[in-house]
């Protein structure tokens, strides 16, 4: 069975280094919640006293801090897309933490292979519910602590963060726009079965081997759903609780409940992050239910990290399309 650590790939392809005083660009906020524990968020100091809309960015899976300091490079690396900093004077751009993971901290490793210790509290809390409720709490606090134009509160999620974004909008009615970047619409476990089918169609393995692998996956899924709260047993290096939690509700189910504008962006070459063959289904269901609040746009040559992959003379060239995508998002919110 082929499994890829997509978060590691994100680090390898979406690194942006800042100066050593990088942290000084941000205003930090911290609060304690009885159920969620410590919740952190930060925004850029730039024009922080200006009344402007909110843009909340929720990055993907993994337990690395949003901004992690790499000792060997003496610089910070972002887990989120650095492109959002170009909108810091038009929005209060908000970054959110994960349970027991600070926004800023030092990681170990080098050459893209970075690690950060996983705490017991992280495993006990890391879930769709925690991430969505923490983000909702942050929105409420940000509107109290910052001069916010509440006519526009945009929640943007990439990869696993895209699974979280629609849930946040269901919890918090202040949200006016939801954006999913390269996120699945159906259950994220479905991607693994799709990958196996694709492997046989491409001649990479026999159809018999594919079926054996899928039957094995179904056995794994049965164990996960039979013990959904277990935080000690793991599959694909993450707890049963994590997998079951993000399977409780699909992004599509939550999107269909929303009446606010939704923008789903996918990459036509996204195979392992959030398989495009999974994401495509969102358009069908919105058409079937005659709902008109979805904008679905696929960049045919884009990968999971919003880069066009163009092959020339046998070599793949990576072209950053994030500036164009975020410009489109900004324009979309003004329509």
């Amino acid at each position: 069975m082929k499994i890829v650590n997509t978060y590691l790939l994100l680090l390898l392809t979406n690194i942006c280094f800042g100066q050593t005083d990088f942290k000084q660009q941000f205003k930090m906020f911290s609060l304690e919640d009885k159920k969620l524990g410590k919740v952190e968020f930060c925004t850029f100091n730039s024009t922080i006293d200006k009344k402007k809309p909110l843009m909340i960015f929720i990055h993907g899976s993994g337990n690395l801090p949003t901004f992690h300091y790499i000792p060997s490079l003496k610089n910070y690396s972002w887990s989120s897309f650095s492109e959002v900093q170009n909108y810091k004077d038009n929005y209060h751009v908000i970054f959110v933490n994960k349970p027991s993971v600070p926004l800023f901290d030092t990681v170990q490793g080098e050459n893209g292979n970075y690690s950060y210790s996983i705490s017991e509290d992280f495993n006990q809390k890391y879930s769709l519910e925690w991430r969505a409720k923490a983000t909702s709490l942050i929105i409420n606090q940000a509107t109290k602590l910052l001069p916010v134009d509440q006519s526009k509160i945009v929640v943007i999620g990439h990869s696993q963060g895209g699974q979280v974004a629609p849930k946040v909008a269901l919890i918090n009615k202040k949200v006016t726009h939801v954006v999913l970047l390269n996120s699945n619409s159906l259950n994220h476990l479905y991607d693994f079965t799709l990958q196996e089918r694709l492997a046989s169609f491409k001649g990479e393995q026999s159809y018999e081997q594919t079926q054996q692998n899928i039957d094995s996956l179904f056995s794994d899924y049965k164990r996960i759903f039979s013990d959904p709260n277990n935080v000690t047993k793991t599959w694909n290096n993450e707890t049963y609780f994590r997998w079951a939690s993000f399977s409780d509700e699909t992004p599509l189910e939550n999107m269909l409940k929303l009446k606010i504008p939704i923008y789903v962006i996918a990459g036509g070459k996204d195979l392992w992050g959030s398989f495009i063959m999974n994401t495509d289904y969102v358009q069908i269901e919105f058409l079937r239910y005659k709902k008109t609040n979805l904008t679905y746009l696929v960049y045919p040559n884009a990968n999971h990290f919003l880069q066009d992959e163009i092959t020339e003379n046998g070599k793949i060239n990576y072209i950053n399309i994030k500036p164009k995508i975020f410009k489109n998002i900004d324009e979309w919110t003004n329509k």
Side-chain angles (χ1 to χ4, degrees):
M1 182 173 61
K2 298 175 294 184
I3 296 174
V4 170
N5 186 330
T6 58
Y7 191 72
L8 175 59
L9 288 177
L10 175 58
L11 292 173
L12 290 172
T13 57
N14 187 50
I15 290 178
C16 177
F17 300 107
Q19 63 276 21
T20 53
D21 62 348
F22 176 74
K23 189 176 179 181
Q24 303 307 312
Q25 297 183 44
F26 297 90
K27 172 73 172 178
M28 300 287 299
F29 300 89
S30 178
L31 53 141
E32 288 286 341
D33 182 83
K34 290 182 179 179
K35 293 184 178 180
L36 301 175
K38 186 176 182 179
V39 177
E40 290 185 348
F41 68 100
C42 68
T43 189
F44 292 95
N45 281 318
S46 178
T47 64
I48 194 170
D49 294 326
K50 173 185 174 182
K51 187 174 183 179
K52 50 189 177 181
L54 283 184
M55 176 188 287
I56 300 93
F57 190 92
I58 310 171
H59 68 78
S61 59
N63 75 311
L64 293 188
T66 303
F67 305 102
H68 38 282
Y69 185 76
I70 304 168
S72 61
L73 298 174
K74 297 182 179 180
N75 272 309
Y76 280 96
S77 174
W78 293 31
S79 297
S80 55
F81 290 125
S82 60
E83 179 63 27
V84 296
Q85 68 184 318
N86 294 324
Y87 296 88
K88 62 186 178 183
D89 292 326
N90 297 325
Y91 296 83
H92 293 289
V93 179
I94 302 288
F95 301 95
V96 304
N97 78 320
K98 294 178 181 177
S100 296
V101 180
L103 285 166
F104 292 81
D105 209 352
T106 301
V107 297
Q108 304 300 317
E110 57 185 14
N111 299 324
N113 295 303
Y114 306 125
S115 65
Y116 188 76
S117 61
I118 298 177
S119 68
E120 181 179 348
D121 190 61
F122 174 85
N123 282 336
Q124 290 177 345
K125 292 178 179 175
Y126 187 53
S127 61
L128 172 62
E129 183 178 21
W130 193 97
R131 298 198 73 186
K133 287 186 175 180
T135 305
S136 176
L137 180 63
I138 286 168
I139 291 170
N140 291 337
Q141 289 298 310
T143 55
K144 293 177 182 178
L145 300 172
L146 299 170
V148 175
D149 175 2
Q150 296 193 40
S151 66
K152 189 192 297 185
I153 296 180
V154 186
V155 177
I156 302 175
H158 173 252
S159 195
Q160 186 188 86
Q163 298 180 55
V164 179
K167 177 74 171 178
V168 175
L170 285 176
I171 296 172
N172 196 313
K173 302 307 178 184
K174 292 185 177 74
V175 178
T176 62
H177 299 76
V178 171
V179 180
L180 286 75
L181 303 173
N182 294 94
S183 181
N184 52 292
S185 60
L186 303 174
N187 191 308
H188 57 325
L189 292 172
Y190 186 38
D191 281 357
F192 296 100
T193 61
L194 287 173
Q195 289 291 349
E196 293 296 340
R197 295 295 183 198
L198 181 63
S200 56
F201 289 139
K202 292 170 65 177
E204 295 174 354
Q205 62 189 25
S206 69
Y207 289 90
E208 291 79 8
Q209 183 62 57
T210 289
Q211 193 57 49
Q212 290 179 27
N213 293 346
I214 290 175
D215 288 343
S216 178
L217 283 172
F218 288 161
S219 296
D220 291 338
Y221 298 166
K222 182 178 180 179
R223 283 190 287 272
I224 291 170
F225 293 128
S226 297
D227 197 6
N229 295 315
N230 197 303
V231 296
T232 58
K233 294 180 180 178
T234 62
W235 181 79
N236 196 20
N237 299 317
E238 299 199 70
T239 67
Y240 281 15
F241 175 57
R242 174 265 195 239
W243 288 108
S245 165
F246 280 91
S247 298
D248 282 343
E249 308 159 13
T250 67
L252 176 59
E253 289 171 331
N254 288 334
M255 281 188 277
L256 287 170
K257 297 174 185 176
L258 295 173
K259 296 181 180 180
I260 61 175
I262 304 168
Y263 197 5
V264 176
I265 293 173
K269 293 185 178 180
D270 189 353
L271 294 177
W272 277 109
S274 294
F275 202 175
I276 181 63
M277 292 171 66
N278 179 322
T279 308
D280 274 335
Y281 193 70
V282 68
Q283 182 71 82
I284 297 173
E285 287 298 272
F286 270 75
L287 292 172
R288 184 167 75 93
Y289 282 99
K290 298 179 176 61
K291 289 179 64 68
T292 58
N293 59 321
L294 172 72
T295 299
Y296 182 53
L297 181 62
V298 176
Y299 290 83
N301 292 301
N303 60 24
H304 188 61
F305 314 109
L306 307 184
Q307 301 167 312
D308 271 351
E309 294 184 3
I310 306 298
T311 302
E312 295 179 348
N313 300 320
K315 179 183 177 181
I316 299 178
N317 295 315
Y318 297 91
I319 302 170
N320 180 23
I321 60 173
K322 288 183 281 292
K324 175 170 60 177
I325 288 174
F326 277 90
K327 182 176 183 290
N328 290 342
I329 292 171
D330 183 43
E331 293 174 349
W332 167 78
T333 66
N334 292 321
K335 290 181 180 178

